[in-house]
Amino acid sequence: MNDPLLQPFSLKHLTFRNRLMSTAHEPAYTEDGLPKDRYRLYHAEKAKGGIGLTMIGGSSVVAPDSPQAFGNILLYKEEVVGWLRELADDVHEHGAAVMIQITHLGRRTSWSKADWLPVLAPSGVREQAHRAFPKAMEDWDIRRVVAAYADAAERVKAGGLDGIEIECYGHLIDQFWSPATNLRDDDYGGVLDNRMRFGFEVLRAIRDRVGSDFVVGARLVCDEDWDKGLSRDAGTLIAQRLASSGLIDFVNVIRGHIDTDAALSEVIPAMGSRSAPHLDFAGDIRTATRLPTFHAARIQDVATARHAIESGKLDMVGMTRAHMADPHIARKIIEGREAEIRPCVGMAYCIDSIYGGQALCIHNAATGREATMPHIVTPSTGPRRKVVVIGAGPGGLEAARVASARGHEVVLFEAADKAGGQVLVTAGLKRRREILGIVDWRLAQCERHGVELRFNTYAEAADVLAETPDVVVVATGGIPNTGFLSAGEDLVTTSWDILTGSARLGSQILLYDDNGAHPGMTAGEFMARAGASLEIVTPERIVAPDVGGTSYPAYFRAFADHDVTLTLNLRLDSVRRDGNRLVATFIDDYGRRTVEKSADQIVVEHGTVPLDELYFALKPLSRNLGEVDHTALLSDRPQDVATNPEGAFKLWRIGDAVASRNIHAAVYDALRLVKDI
Ligand SMILES: Cc1cc2nc3c(=O)[nH]c(=O)nc-3n(C[C@H](O)[C@H](O)[C@H](O)COP(=O)(O)O)c2cc1C
Ligand code: SF4
């Protein structure tokens, strides 16, 4: 094969089997700060899928005064070595190389998370995103942290990993480099030589400890793209100095700063941003440093990745979220099945959920659940079943995909003339159209496995029974919930009406969002861009609390561009007509205010009400009376409820047909029930 992506690459004594890598990212899968089985299986899956190099442990921390910000690996714990070794052995066994990113987060964390040590930084400049007021480091802090880096590096080497990447953007080393965060007037501040002193001390200490043979590289910012920060010239100079020091073996290029959510969303661009925005820049750094160069930023498809290598811009191409969506990219390329790669649609659910949660892919429920959920659905060894699925939204399509991949005969009913359900509603906003990939990939898989798709069919119980099914999956979704209003339900427009174009837009609109997730924001952006004068009102104390850190900036940019008013803490009670206007009455949760607002259109977003008629019609006829055995479900055993032995089929209800949730909930419902039939 002469595919540029599949050519091996040599770095010192290492040979990567191809040019595909997953760059460092902390999925928050650690347990007690250690990369235990879940972490290992997650990376081993990528190795099984053929990746060349996986960089584990995004921002693994070297010292207790760099407490976890998002589940980071604690490299200062001695017991980490054994877990690293198990992980490295597993990944190596499947033919991939494995390294780890190490860091001291400096000011990019919180003092109240773990040991209540003060957060450190070169100077007392607060980071907006993590909000700690840091202590300016003293000489003894610097000595301690430099030693901690070296100790951590030694543990990594003892753990059998192939190398280390030092995180140098937005974290402590870059906080010393950057004029935005280093206001010191001692030997560590002022001119660039001084600002680079701390980083060089760290690098030398690491080299002294791991020796010259071990691979050590830097993921560094070569342009902070920020008036207060490192310019492109200064960043390039830093990269060149690191290269000529002989202390590092590779560069992994970053462009941008990460001290605010808005800035981070440019470094890790989400759906709607252009493809590979910093690739040319990374190529320039490769030319300037002549070091092996890695880079990742929205290189999601194989063609762009191939171009990055073929054009000589990169030596290793990072497809990080792409591997979260599908860890088997290399294998599918090798097998000529590129079209079957599950696409990363840039939804950013993965990164948005690491604070206080875990990285989950919006449409791959097996990611991070490798112990129980399959990335590759294998054919059943049992009897071939007849499976009827009702509803071709993400949940229904997932149920049909999995059942058909198991080798069962599947009929999928859909009332509309095409598949997609609520995904089609979201795609009404052009910026988010990429979300359709969730539907298109599943449809293609269903077609490949012979699912019989019956569109324009509003299935009744009789239609389902006529198929004499063994299993019925009701994935009928929901409809917009307006029933919470005490009066005026008939006067309001829903976010769906707006996004599907079924309602004409008013010119002065009030959007009431009491869902707090993407649907309200998506409708809001749509209306703002369409030129409406818009006020968004929420009963919450922040707007859209369920929209994560790298996703909300795109909405807020649109709101700023179009002068949208945001109002907090008001709960919509009722709507009434007043001439040709509508009047909304709000109350607050504190019993202090009743507020009336007038508009020519009032749009509400309050989640969905389940469309569950069909389910309840089928329930008495089913063998399990619709029941899901949660104990079996959670211990990964097949469903075997038979409360009604006369019933001819098993019946499950999934996704929003159960309750208003999200795409991940729907596809996870489907995968975990259907994978065992
Ligand atoms: C869940 C998640 C966590 C991340 N954490 C880190 C991190 O700790 N350190 C780091 O350098 N980059 C981190 N990243 C950024 C990725 O390494 C990568 O640069 C980014 O996802 C853009 O590449 P992609 O478009 O191929 O996904 C993270 C990304 C994700 C999705
Ligand atoms: S959640 Fe979205 S951005 Fe993250 S891997 Fe999945 S599809 Fe890609």
Side-chain angles (χ1 to χ4, degrees):
M1 283 224 180
N2 48 14
D3 186 335
L5 278 178
L6 299 180
Q7 304 313 306
F9 180 71
S10 296
L11 180 62
K12 277 191 159 167
H13 56 283
L14 298 175
T15 302
F16 306 137
R17 61 183 157 181
N18 58 47
R19 304 305 184 95
L20 289 167
M21 75 176 287
S22 162
T23 57
H25 58 287
E26 178 45 64
Y29 297 160
T30 48
E31 294 156 68
D32 310 319
L34 299 169
K36 297 189 178 176
D37 290 343
R38 183 181 190 195
Y39 217 104
R40 173 177 58 77
L41 292 171
Y42 167 64
H43 284 283
E45 190 71 36
K46 285 181 274 209
K48 283 185 205 166
I51 202 167
L53 165 66
T54 188
M55 183 75 69
I56 71 160
S59 314
S60 304
V61 295
V62 301
D65 55 13
S66 172
Q68 289 181 317
F70 37 84
N72 319 49
I73 294 176
L74 305 179
L75 279 179
Y76 56 84
K77 286 190 169 182
E78 210 46 58
E79 60 265 46
V80 77
V81 175
W83 294 105
L84 289 177
R85 183 161 287 287
E86 274 192 42
L87 189 153
D89 287 350
D90 206 352
V91 171
H92 285 152
E93 208 164 289
H94 293 101
V98 51
M99 301 190 191
I100 189 168
Q101 183 184 71
I102 72 172
T103 199
H104 191 293
L105 293 159
R107 64 181 194 148
R108 193 171 167 74
T109 186
S110 314
W111 46 266
S112 57
K113 284 280 165 67
D115 297 311
W116 288 70
L117 295 170
V119 161
L120 299 179
S123 309
V125 183
R126 187 192 205 194
E127 194 212 57
Q128 269 170 255
H130 291 75
R131 304 178 52 254
F133 292 102
K135 167 197 171 184
M137 287 170 83
E138 295 178 58
D139 48 359
W140 53 272
D141 289 316
I142 291 179
R143 283 197 300 275
R144 185 187 63 247
V145 173
V146 169
Y149 267 103
D151 292 344
E154 190 174 341
R155 287 185 195 105
V156 170
K157 191 174 178 190
L161 271 72
D162 298 303
I164 290 174
E165 172 182 273
I166 304 165
E167 205 281 12
C168 310
Y169 68 102
H171 296 189
L172 191 55
I173 291 178
D174 173 44
Q175 288 162 26
F176 271 93
W177 289 346
S178 178
T181 40
N182 185 343
L183 313 179
R184 298 174 78 98
D185 54 12
D186 62 1
D187 289 350
Y188 293 88
V191 295
L192 187 62
D193 276 345
N194 279 357
R195 286 187 274 127
M196 288 190 72
R197 190 178 308 280
F198 172 74
F200 270 126
E201 286 179 5
V202 167
L203 266 172
R204 282 192 205 102
I206 288 176
R207 267 295 170 215
D208 285 350
R209 201 67 74 81
V210 298
S212 55
D213 291 344
F214 199 61
V215 171
V216 177
R219 190 170 207 196
L220 73 158
V221 58
C222 304
D223 173 8
E224 283 190 314
D225 190 22
W226 186 16
D227 54 354
K228 295 186 195 154
L230 282 176
S231 65
R232 183 186 171 122
D233 286 349
T236 306
L237 191 59
I238 288 175
Q240 286 172 320
R241 286 202 188 167
L242 292 179
S244 59
S245 73
L247 290 165
I248 59 169
D249 303 308
F250 67 85
V251 288
N252 185 348
V253 179
I254 290 286
R255 181 163 187 270
H257 57 113
I258 58 173
D259 55 305
T260 63
D261 290 340
L264 180 66
S265 71
E266 307 270 349
V267 176
I268 307 181
M271 66 175 31
S273 7
R274 72 192 163 96
S275 171
H278 310 308
L279 177 60
D280 291 341
F281 176 71
D284 292 346
I285 297 299
R286 182 173 185 261
T287 309
T289 60
R290 299 187 184 181
L291 276 179
T293 301
F294 308 170
H295 171 68
R298 206 162 146 76
I299 299 171
Q300 280 153 296
D301 60 291
V302 172
T304 308
R306 192 171 281 134
H307 161 74
I309 299 296
E310 199 166 25
S311 59
K313 292 182 197 300
L314 303 182
D315 297 286
M316 293 294 291
V317 56
M319 294 185 77
T320 305
R321 285 169 294 175
H323 276 90
M324 300 182 92
D326 190 338
H328 291 250
I329 294 176
R331 202 170 58 79
K332 288 180 182 171
I333 298 173
I334 292 165
E335 292 171 3
R337 297 194 294 125
E338 225 170 280
E340 285 183 47
I341 294 170
R342 185 186 316 225
C344 169
V345 298
M347 183 93 179
Y349 190 63
C350 47
I351 182 143
D352 283 349
S353 40
I354 57 176
Y355 285 87
Q358 49 187 314
L360 295 171
C361 173
I362 192 72
H363 79 126
N364 186 347
T367 298
R369 299 196 182 97
E370 283 75 14
T372 52
M373 297 295 130
H375 281 278
I376 310 277
V377 177
T378 49
S380 160
T381 50
R384 188 164 194 248
R385 307 284 189 198
K386 175 79 182 272
V387 180
V388 173
V389 180
I390 308 96
L397 284 169
E398 178 74 349
R401 172 188 84 87
V402 177
S404 59
R406 296 280 290 152
H408 301 303
E409 182 187 352
V410 182
V411 175
L412 174 56
F413 288 109
E414 166 57 46
D417 60 356
K418 59 180 172 203
Q422 287 178 58
V423 169
L424 297 175
V425 178
T426 299
L429 178 66
K430 217 164 137 204
R431 182 178 66 76
R432 306 197 69 218
R433 278 188 73 78
E434 216 173 323
I435 197 171
L436 292 173
I438 293 174
V439 173
D440 294 343
W441 179 77
R442 284 186 169 72
L443 258 186
Q445 290 291 305
C446 286
E447 279 163 9
R448 187 164 168 268
H449 292 294
V451 172
E452 190 184 330
L453 297 153
R454 294 203 206 148
F455 293 112
N456 297 308
T457 311
Y458 191 95
E460 312 267 0
D463 302 307
V464 174
L465 297 175
E467 299 295 326
T468 57
D470 300 301
V471 176
V472 176
V473 181
V474 176
T476 41
I479 49 167
N481 183 354
T482 51
F484 65 96
L485 289 164
S486 68
E489 203 181 331
D490 54 321
L491 300 177
V492 297
T493 306
T494 68
S495 59
W496 290 26
D497 298 331
I498 297 296
L499 287 164
T500 57
S502 67
R504 253 190 66 211
L505 276 194
S507 56
Q508 196 227 321
I509 308 177
L510 211 147
L511 166 63
Y512 177 66
D513 179 23
D514 188 14
N515 182 352
H518 281 281
M521 294 297 95
T522 303
E525 182 176 334
F526 182 96
M527 293 185 281
R529 287 189 187 283
S533 153
L534 181 67
E535 177 174 358
I536 301 178
V537 184
T538 169
E540 316 266 5
R541 63 181 179 150
I542 60 169
V543 176
D546 292 336
V547 175
T550 65
S551 293
Y552 80 80
Y555 296 119
F556 278 58
R557 264 182 219 117
F559 298 160
D561 285 348
H562 298 279
D563 215 13
V564 173
T565 304
L566 302 173
T567 304
L568 307 177
N569 284 327
L570 286 180
R571 193 170 293 281
L572 182 60
D573 177 62
S574 59
V575 175
R576 66 182 154 82
R577 194 176 288 286
D578 183 15
N580 59 358
R581 306 274 293 169
L582 297 173
V583 177
T585 303
F586 297 91
I587 48 174
D588 67 19
D589 287 347
Y590 324 104
R592 294 287 184 277
R593 288 189 297 165
T594 300
V595 176
E596 290 201 332
K597 286 177 186 282
S598 144
D600 59 23
Q601 189 169 40
I602 295 176
V603 179
V604 298
E605 168 51 51
H606 188 70
T608 53
V609 188
L611 266 175
D612 51 16
E613 245 176 75
L614 177 63
Y615 167 78
F616 283 107
L618 292 170
K619 182 175 167 172
L621 308 172
S622 68
R623 194 172 167 75
N624 58 330
L625 298 176
E627 181 176 341
V628 174
D629 175 350
H630 282 186
T631 310
L633 191 75
L634 300 183
S635 51
D636 197 31
R637 282 186 283 109
Q639 291 290 311
D640 215 10
V641 182
T643 31
N644 175 27
E646 311 295 299
F649 55 90
K650 287 184 184 174
L651 173 69
W652 296 315
R653 180 164 57 128
I654 63 170
D656 282 7
V658 181
S660 183
R661 290 173 290 160
N662 69 6
I663 294 171
H664 186 84
V667 298
Y668 189 26
D669 278 359
L671 178 65
R672 60 177 161 176
L673 285 167
V674 177
K675 75 180 174 55
D676 291 323
I677 60 173

